[in-house]
């Protein structure tokens, strides 16, 4: 059964780079139906898609974050990562990694990692 | 301001039926599948409905989804206390070229 787990620092200083890793277990990162995604949720607010990485390495980013974000994979380690630079307090959120299963016209985010709270503060 | 519009909260008594609406546009719900996610307090979201009205394996048939035009709905029959959670709709948006979520609806079971 596929499982995902986020890891990384829980506190990042303003203007610095937020870096998170998602470790995938119980499956493969090479299925052509799978995209690897990051989604965030500010405290008390709704969900926001950050970006997706295809099994071929193509990336797709939320236009509102595209200038600051990068998602990449280290398949031998069964990991994919998120980098978000020039962070501000508005980037404080619980960050989730998830698998997007996608085969037209079907798609869904499942499973999700448990999430990791990242606070941007000095 | 979320691209998909949901009511902030709904409430109903145990064993009653409740519906949650999700309003979008022709670039998202009108042209793409809608999925629904349940987020229990302090937990990650989980898939509840996919492709507008299909139930994943293991999901109770008390949950159902529907779509008409640029709006979708989630219905929960026979409400139980454990259904108290936040519910989110989601869809692909052709104009924004990305995934969009509703703002979420908190369900209170009275």
């Amino acid at each position: 059964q596929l499982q995902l787990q986020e890891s990384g620092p829980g506190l990042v200083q303003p203007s610095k780079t937020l870096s998170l890793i998602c470790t995938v277990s119980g499956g493969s990162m090479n299925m052509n139906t799978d995209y690897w995604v990051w989604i965030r949720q500010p405290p008390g607010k709704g969900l926001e898609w950050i970006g997706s990485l295809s099994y071929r390495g193509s990336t797709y980013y939320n236009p509102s974050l595209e200038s600051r974000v990068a998602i990449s994979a280290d398949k031998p380690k069964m990991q994919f990562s998120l980098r978000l630079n020039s962070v501000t307090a508005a980037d404080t959120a619980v960050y989730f990694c998830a698998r997007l299963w996608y085969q037209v016209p079907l798609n869904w985010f499942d499973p999700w990692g448990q999430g990791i709270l990242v606070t941007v503060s000095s | 301001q979320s691209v998909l519009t949901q009511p902030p909260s709904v409430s109903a008594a145990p064993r009653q039926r409740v519906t949650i609406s999700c309003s979008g546009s022709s670039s998202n719900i009108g042209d793409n599948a809608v999925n629904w996610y349940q987020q229990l307090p302090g937990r990650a979201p989980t898939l509840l409905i996919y492709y507008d009205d299909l139930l994943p394996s293991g999901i109770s048939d008390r949950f159902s989804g529907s779509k008409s035009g640029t709006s979708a709905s989630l219905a929960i029959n026979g409400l139980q206390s454990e259904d108290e959670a936040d519910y989110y709709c989601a869809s692909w948006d052709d104009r924004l070229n990305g995934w969009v979520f509703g703002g979420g609806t908190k369900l209170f079971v009275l």
Side-chain angles (χ1 to χ4, degrees):
Chain A
Q1 182 180 0
L2 195 68
Q3 292 184 310
L4 286 74
Q5 176 73 58
E6 305 87 351
S7 60
L11 181 65
V12 180
Q13 292 182 332
S15 80
K16 301 299 186 182
T17 297
L18 179 159
S19 295
L20 296 175
I21 290 174
C22 182
T23 301
V24 180
S25 60
S28 168
M29 290 189 70
N30 288 314
M31 303 296 287
N32 61 6
T33 52
D34 293 347
Y35 290 69
W36 306 99
V37 308
W38 288 95
I39 293 166
R40 69 181 182 179
Q41 184 174 37
K45 296 187 178 181
L47 301 165
E48 179 183 35
W49 170 73
I50 298 171
S52 305
L53 174 70
S54 77
Y55 80 104
R56 289 179 174 173
S58 299
T59 52
Y60 309 85
Y61 299 129
N62 187 321
S64 69
L65 298 169
E66 189 165 18
S67 63
R68 299 194 291 130
V69 68
I71 298 175
S72 59
D74 185 339
K75 290 186 178 181
K77 289 186 177 180
M78 292 286 285
Q79 295 176 335
F80 64 102
S81 63
L82 169 70
R83 287 176 60 87
L84 181 67
N85 58 37
S86 304
V87 298
T88 70
D91 295 310
T92 294
V94 174
Y95 285 76
F96 296 100
C97 59
R99 186 268 307 265
L100 167 65
W101 191 95
Y102 186 79
Q103 190 165 51
V104 178
L106 305 177
N107 61 77
W108 55 75
F109 296 116
D110 182 74
W112 298 56
Q114 66 183 29
I116 183 169
L117 174 62
V118 179
T119 301
V120 178
S121 175
S122 54
Chain B
Q1 194 79 355
S2 300
V3 174
L4 305 181
T5 301
Q6 298 180 234
S9 66
V10 295
S11 61
R15 297 180 298 281
Q16 296 300 304
R17 170 186 168 94
V18 70
T19 61
I20 297 172
S21 61
C22 176
S23 178
S25 68
S26 59
S27 64
N28 42 66
I29 293 177
D31 201 37
N32 297 289
V34 177
N35 299 332
W36 289 90
Y37 298 89
Q38 178 191 59
Q39 186 175 31
L40 295 169
R43 306 292 298 274
T46 57
L47 180 66
L48 194 62
I49 297 284
Y50 69 97
Y51 199 52
D52 304 337
D53 58 8
L54 299 182
L55 266 66
S57 173
I59 299 299
S60 169
D61 60 5
R62 296 188 299 106
F63 296 91
S64 63
S66 63
K67 187 174 83 172
S68 178
T70 59
S71 293
S73 290
L74 171 70
I76 311 173
N77 290 306
L79 270 178
Q80 301 176 1
S81 57
E82 56 260 39
D83 297 331
E84 202 162 85
D86 294 325
Y87 294 85
Y88 292 90
C89 58
S91 183
W92 174 263
D93 191 294
D94 297 324
R95 182 176 59 84
L96 297 176
N97 207 29
W99 297 96
V100 292
F101 290 91
T105 298
K106 183 173 291 293
L107 169 63
F108 295 99
V109 180
L110 303 174

